[in-house]
Each structure stands twice: as C-alpha cells, then as structure tokens.
Amino acid sequence: MRAAVFHEYGGRLVVEEVADPEPPPDGVVLHVGATGICRSDWHAWMGHDPDVVPPHVPGHELAGTVVAAGPAVREARLGERVTAPFCLGCGRCAQCLAGETQICDDDYQPGFTGPGSFAQYVALPRADLNLVPLPDSLGFVEAAALGCRFMTAFAAVTVHGRTAEGDWVAVHGCGGVGLSAVMIAVAVGARVAAVDVDPVKLERAAELGAEVTLDAREGDPAAAVREATGGGAHVALDALGSAATCAASVGSLRKRGRHVQVGLMLGDERNVPIPMSRVISHELELVGVHGMAVRHYPVLLDAIGAGRLDPARLVGATVALEDAGAELAAMSGFTRHGATVIASF
Ligand SMILES: [Zn+2]
Ligand SMILES: [Zn+2]
C-alpha cells in the first residue's frame, strides 16, 4: 500500500510503498476514506512525543471501511463504515471498566503508539470496544473532522464543562479545537465569548455564533471576558495550551466557574503558574480533558444527524496523501485556518 512515512523527526514526509497491514487478532484493517491532519501529528513529527519512533506513519483522525477482521472480533464488521477515537481503550483496566476509555491505562493510539492513517490502509486493534459505526448521512471527510479536535471539544464543553443553556462560555484560542468548542457551546444554548490574537479566527468564531469576540492583544483578555459577561464566564476553555491562555482562562471565570484545559501543554509550558488563590476564593474547578470516551459518540452523532452540529463547516481544505508533508510543515508557521483532511490516497 501507499503510506506517508517520516524517517527522522522533522524529516521529509515521503509517500512510499510499504507492506499492507494485517488485522490484529482482536482488530480490523480499514480502507482509509479520509484522515485529518492535526497539530498532534505535527508534534509527533517534530519528536515531541516519546511514543513515536521513526520510521513512522502519522494519522489518527480517521474514517474508513472495514476490509479485514481478526478471528477474535465478535461482530460482523466487514464492509462497515466506521471511525474510532484516537485513544483506543483496552477494555480491561480500571478506567475502561468505568467507561473512561480516553484515559485507558494501556491505550493504543494509531499514529502515535502504532502506524497511523496517512496511508491507504490502517490496522486498528480492540475493534469491538472502539469502532464507531457511521450513519450513512455522514461522509468520510466529515467523520474524519470529528477527531480528535471536535470530539475533544465536545467532551470539554458538555462532559467536563457541564455547560448549560444560558451559560457564558469563554473560549481562549480559536484554532481547530477552539472553533469546534464555539460551535458546540452555541448548540448547547450557551453564550460564547471567543478570544484570540488573529482577527480571521475571531471572524470565524463570530460566524459560528460567538456573541462576543475579543482580541487578546488589546489589553487583559481575562478582564475583558469578565466585563463582557457581567462578572465572568461559567465555563472557560484554554483551547490553545500555553501559560498565557491558561492564565487568561482561569482569570476569566466567575465564582464557582470551571476551567477546562483542552490545549496540550508541551515543552517549556508543561508546568505553568496557576493563580491558586483565585481558585480558592472563587471556588473554581480545574479540569483536564484528554479526548472523549467512546461511549459518548452516539450523543455526538445524534446532534450531527439532527443538524445541531456540522463539523463539515470546520473543514478548510481536502488534499491528497502527497500533500501531507507540506501541510504538516506549514503548521510550523501557525498559518492554517480550518481543518485539513486527506481525502485521496
Ligand atoms: Zn483500558
Ligand atoms: Zn488530532
């Protein structure tokens, strides 16, 4: 099969012929229909993730058709159109038994701990627990656009943020995951204040229903959110992952508000200062989110089927497998607007 491979961190991603994958005993092989290009792929390529060892095929935001299944796969899966979360739970650990497959103690992540979906075929273990059948109405490109940004934003806003109708939600950072959060919060009936340093992203946030947009370069974004929301947001998300956006998110909350850390904290910003005195005096909650449990997919797919959510609106471009390397390299410049999805292999 054809796959996009890098042989060293930061080295060129080359499309080459590699062996077709075999289905694991408890898994399947998918014919990949579409796969998103995500900042997590960029981090893997740059060598920020010790699980990733070159030569490596990235790709974890996938959708496709089951073309082979191992002997232990219980359900008749051949021909099924599916997606899967980027974090495949084992089904046996304490987290999985509690339904929290996204923080499995022994997780498998295509594109990180194993070969990913920047390829014509990808093998996925643990199929019975983790495969999510797609409704006929949802195309592969739209389904690829669900992971990982959209489903993580869905978990952040609904499961962890517990956002209710009429709440104010502050979204700090309006890249892929931030704009997803804006759309989801609006669908829940929340009022959204979107914060970024890029006027184009703020414009997109407004198109998706953000009531207030704030340019973080113009003064203190936390104070601006408190001012615009009559005392602070009920729920605030750091959707970028930086010391500045994290502090702004915590600072933008009203009393008993909830900060959800969505953006990854990497490199020098793994450990950032948090104003804990404010957490105490305001009785704030701080929550992290590492993706969405596979059991929440039906609610997400229902909302899409009913037209309340439309992840396709967040797709900026569809490209071919040959373009993946250039797209990944472009992420070093923080220039892209909208998700890029590989749709031809
Ligand atoms: Zn597990
Ligand atoms: Zn991703």
Side-chain angles (χ1 to χ4, degrees):
M1 68 166 182
R2 282 152 44 79
V5 186
F6 65 82
H7 290 267
E8 56 182 333
Y9 295 131
R12 213 158 67 84
L13 196 64
V14 207
V15 176
E16 47 192 62
E17 288 286 331
V18 303
D20 286 356
E22 294 289 328
D26 64 346
V28 297
V29 170
L30 291 195
H31 180 240
V32 181
T35 188
I37 303 176
C38 173
R39 184 152 290 277
S40 304
D41 297 314
W42 180 84
H43 284 300
W45 175 59
M46 292 297 285
H48 298 165
D49 184 337
D51 285 342
V52 173
V53 182
H56 182 74
V57 179
H60 59 283
E61 304 189 337
L62 53 92
T65 308
V66 177
V67 293
V73 175
R74 285 193 301 274
E75 293 164 43
R77 294 272 186 201
L78 290 181
E80 202 169 29
R81 299 169 70 254
V82 298
T83 187
F86 66 92
C87 187
L88 305 181
C90 70
R92 294 183 303 273
C93 73
Q95 319 308 331
C96 286
L97 293 175
E100 308 295 354
T101 52
Q102 79 284 7
I103 48 168
C104 172
D105 293 335
D106 182 27
D107 61 341
Y108 179 89
Q109 299 188 17
F112 302 100
T113 55
S117 50
F118 286 12
Q120 289 179 300
Y121 298 94
V122 64
L124 299 177
R126 307 166 174 181
D128 284 326
L129 176 61
N130 292 288
L131 292 191
V132 178
L134 296 173
D136 292 340
S137 57
L138 196 64
F140 286 136
V141 169
E142 293 74 25
L146 293 183
C148 61
R149 292 159 281 193
F150 199 84
M151 57 93 122
T152 302
F154 188 78
V157 171
T158 66
V159 180
H160 299 273
R162 308 193 302 276
T163 304
E165 196 175 345
D167 279 355
W168 272 105
V169 175
V171 178
H172 297 265
C174 293
V177 77
L179 289 176
S180 303
V182 169
M183 180 192 284
I184 293 158
V186 168
V188 169
R191 305 172 75 181
V192 174
V195 185
D196 204 283
V197 295
D198 179 345
V200 177
K201 290 179 177 170
L202 291 174
E203 206 172 293
R204 286 290 290 135
E207 284 165 21
L208 293 167
E211 190 173 324
V212 173
T213 56
L214 299 164
D215 190 327
R217 294 170 304 182
E218 296 168 2
D220 175 2
V225 170
R226 293 198 303 272
E227 166 87 30
T229 57
H234 299 83
V235 180
L237 277 59
D238 172 7
L240 178 68
S242 73
T245 45
C246 176
S249 175
V250 174
S252 67
L253 288 168
R254 68 178 58 203
K255 289 184 174 175
R256 301 195 68 91
R258 292 177 289 283
H259 160 79
V260 187
Q261 186 61 43
V262 190
L264 297 177
M265 292 297 202
L266 295 162
D268 294 342
E269 307 215 328
R270 277 176 191 275
N271 299 298
V272 301
I274 305 273
M276 290 309 281
S277 60
R278 186 179 175 86
V279 173
I280 293 170
S281 65
H282 284 53
E283 292 201 346
L284 304 179
E285 284 179 55
L286 309 180
V287 199
V289 58
H290 184 255
M292 186 178 75
V294 70
R295 67 193 161 96
H296 295 306
Y297 269 93
V299 181
L300 172 55
L301 293 174
D302 280 354
I304 294 167
R308 293 193 298 278
L309 294 175
D310 183 6
R313 289 182 71 187
L314 300 170
V315 176
T318 54
V319 300
L321 188 60
E322 286 76 8
D323 304 321
E327 289 294 327
L328 219 48
M331 284 187 174
S332 302
F334 287 93
T335 49
R336 283 290 184 270
H337 296 112
T340 303
V341 177
I342 302 171
S344 65
F345 297 83

